[in-house]
Amino acid sequence: MDFLTYANDLLTSSLGPFGPLIAVGGLGLFMILLTIPMLMNQPEDPLKKLKRNASVVKEKKSEKERLRQGGRNEQLERFANFLEPQNVDELSAIQLKLTQAGYQSKDAVRVFHVAQLALGLIGLVAGVLYVTVLNADQNFDTQQLIMYTIGPGGVGYMLPKYWVTRRVGERQAQITAGFPDSLDMMLVCVEAGQSLDQSIIRVAKELRASYPALADEFEIVSYEMKAGKDKATVLRDMGTRCGVQDVSSFVTVLIQSQTFGTSIADALRVYAGEMRDKRVMRAEEAANKLPTKMTLATMMLTVPPLLIILVGPSVHGITQMGQ
């Protein structure tokens, strides 16, 4: 009991009234950082080892499963229960958002949660160091202590989500900008006698230099069609991955054209014309917004110098008369 009292007095005298709380938090953080390497080096599950060393009869099936899971990180595989949401709807929503941001890796969800955890811990450590080392002689109240310690951790935890949201917006803007050109190219290919599959492959190659995000989507569509997947399902998946209304409408037009047996060239010609008109309208809208956005900057850069020029001599004259 005397030892605890002595430790409490020592922490209070060195770190302030919140010294015991800071010590407990630092100890907990140290235990977490100490546990992570131990978890990373845990032995392999015997059941997984038994499955990997299966008999020759199941070797072909195991090979297919290995190819299906190829590219996954085995270290992250061990912590799948901790790094992936157990709710199917929540997992699907995160996968869709990461796919729309361009991260189509099989471990994208796990890497996303690892980044959140790592940046959160780094921010928490930085906050604790700021309070205990850089400003050890300053007394913080409870609100300031929480803000300086937990605040950086919260910012680090939310930083990956902000980055993914920003990437989704940039990628959707790139797809929207390049989609009318892709329709024109696809129309030329179809009218030249190529099938829809061949035209998609050709458009993907031509768009690679200028619009890589849209080229990736068309390339995925071509690969899935080559693999024998249903064309309507492939096109719907493309609309879902892009998250752009123009692409979803285009997918609907192609599916309806295929269902009712109408000419794909006619459908592409009409829809490409609409997309060109829509791009012109977006450009006109941006041009009409420009004067409004420039008003504040114009006032800030024009009015103060004008006032100085007009009022400055008068003020100078009045001060000279007063002297």
Side-chain angles (χ1 to χ4, degrees):
M1 195 69 181
D2 295 336
F3 174 74
L4 295 178
T5 305
Y6 173 75
N8 186 30
D9 295 339
L10 181 62
L11 292 174
T12 304
S13 61
S14 59
L15 300 178
F18 297 99
L21 180 62
I22 296 174
V24 172
L27 181 61
L29 182 61
F30 174 75
M31 294 298 294
I32 292 174
L33 296 177
L34 185 63
T35 307
I36 291 176
M38 297 175 62
L39 291 175
M40 294 294 290
N41 294 325
Q42 65 181 357
E44 186 180 2
D45 189 0
L47 183 59
K48 292 183 178 180
K49 187 175 181 180
L50 182 62
K51 289 181 178 179
R52 194 178 67 247
N53 298 327
S55 61
V56 180
V57 178
K58 297 182 180 179
E59 183 177 355
K60 189 174 182 180
K61 184 177 179 181
S62 301
E63 182 68 16
K64 291 182 179 179
E65 185 67 21
R66 187 185 65 82
L67 292 175
R68 186 184 300 273
Q69 300 295 331
R72 282 188 176 272
N73 192 317
E74 295 182 359
Q75 296 294 334
L76 296 179
E77 183 72 23
R78 299 180 181 180
F79 308 101
N81 295 329
F82 301 98
L83 299 178
E84 288 183 355
Q86 300 303 310
N87 189 353
V88 178
D89 295 335
E90 185 178 355
L91 178 61
S92 300
I94 296 177
Q95 285 178 339
L96 177 59
K97 192 168 185 179
L98 291 173
T99 302
Q100 291 177 350
Y103 302 109
Q104 299 179 359
S105 172
K106 296 178 181 179
D107 292 324
V109 177
R110 299 174 186 177
V111 173
F112 174 75
H113 285 92
V114 167
Q116 281 190 319
L117 179 62
L119 291 177
L121 290 176
I122 290 173
L124 186 61
V125 171
V128 172
L129 291 177
Y130 176 78
V131 172
T132 58
V133 177
L134 300 179
N135 294 278
D137 56 345
Q138 185 177 354
N139 294 326
F140 297 99
D141 54 16
T142 305
Q143 184 177 1
Q144 291 178 341
L145 188 64
I146 294 175
M147 182 177 64
Y148 290 144
T149 55
I150 302 180
V155 171
Y157 182 81
M158 296 301 296
L159 189 61
K161 186 176 294 186
Y162 167 75
W163 174 260
V164 170
T165 304
R166 184 174 178 181
R167 284 276 300 173
V168 169
E170 292 177 354
R171 194 167 184 269
Q172 289 179 350
Q174 185 182 135
I175 292 175
T176 303
F179 193 61
D181 295 336
S182 67
L183 290 181
D184 292 335
M185 294 181 188
M186 192 176 299
L187 177 60
V188 172
C189 294
V190 171
E191 289 183 341
Q194 291 185 342
S195 64
L196 181 62
D197 301 354
Q198 293 174 339
S199 63
I200 288 175
I201 297 173
R202 182 67 179 181
V203 169
K205 292 180 180 179
E206 295 294 335
L207 288 177
R208 176 63 58 185
S210 54
Y211 303 105
L214 187 57
D216 290 338
E217 294 298 332
F218 279 120
E219 195 171 23
I220 292 174
V221 170
S222 65
Y223 286 150
E224 290 182 346
M225 286 183 178
K226 288 180 180 179
K229 196 173 181 180
D230 183 54
K231 187 177 295 185
T233 305
V234 171
L235 293 175
R236 288 194 185 97
D237 291 343
M238 177 185 176
T240 303
R241 287 194 308 269
C242 293
V244 179
Q245 183 62 36
D246 295 341
V247 179
S248 300
S249 301
F250 166 72
V251 167
T252 304
V253 169
L254 287 185
I255 293 175
Q256 290 178 351
S257 177
Q258 182 183 3
T259 302
F260 296 109
T262 59
S263 175
I264 295 179
D266 294 339
L268 285 175
R269 186 180 299 107
V270 174
Y271 198 75
E274 292 180 358
M275 288 297 100
R276 285 194 298 269
D277 295 339
K278 200 169 183 179
R279 180 167 59 181
V280 172
M281 292 174 62
R282 283 196 296 264
E284 292 177 350
E285 182 182 359
N288 292 331
K289 289 180 180 179
L290 189 60
T292 305
K293 295 180 179 179
M294 292 180 61
T295 301
L296 183 61
T298 303
M299 292 178 61
M300 293 178 62
L301 297 175
T302 305
V303 175
L306 185 61
L307 290 177
I308 293 174
I309 294 172
L310 296 177
V311 183
S314 301
V315 174
H316 180 71
I318 293 173
T319 54
Q320 292 296 327
M321 291 176 61
Q323 294 178 358

